[in-house]
Amino acid sequence: MKFSEQEIKPVWDEVARLIGDSVMQLRHRGEVLSVETLARHLTQRLAESHDIERRILIGAAINMLKDGK
């Protein structure tokens, strides 16, 4: 299955927003900002979420961070 740029852009925008929110939360708490702390924070949010769509987006954000993209 192929998706057009128009179809996939809102998904990546939401993934970027989730990462940005995590950055702001970590900074607010005064925690060290790194890929590892971001991934750990997102993993915690993933464990707390019961919404399937949100879990998929958080999982994509974690994978994006771990893959260095």
Side-chain angles (χ1 to χ4, degrees), residues 3-20 56-65 67 69:
F3 296 99
S4 71
E5 179 73 25
Q6 185 178 6
E7 292 171 313
I8 202 73
K9 185 171 178 356
V11 173
W12 289 123
D13 287 348
E14 181 63 17
V15 168
R17 190 192 67 73
L18 287 168
I19 293 171
I56 291 168
L57 292 170
I58 294 170
I62 293 167
N63 288 337
M64 182 185 293
L65 287 170
D67 291 343
K69 293 184 179 179

Side-chain angles (χ1 to χ4, degrees), residues 13-37:
D13 287 348
E14 181 63 17
V15 168
R17 190 192 67 73
L18 287 168
I19 293 171
D21 285 348
S22 292
V23 167
M24 288 189 299
Q25 289 176 14
L26 290 172
R27 282 214 171 260
H28 181 72
R29 293 188 216 161
E31 294 185 36
V32 175
L33 191 59
S34 68
V35 171
E36 291 80 22
T37 58

Side-chain angles (χ1 to χ4, degrees), residues 39-51 54-55 58-59 62:
R40 195 168 38 246
H41 179 75
L42 286 165
T43 300
Q44 182 179 10
R45 289 181 67 187
L46 179 65
E48 295 168 352
S49 178
H50 299 290
D51 180 282
R54 185 134 182 101
R55 290 179 59 82
I58 294 170
I62 293 167

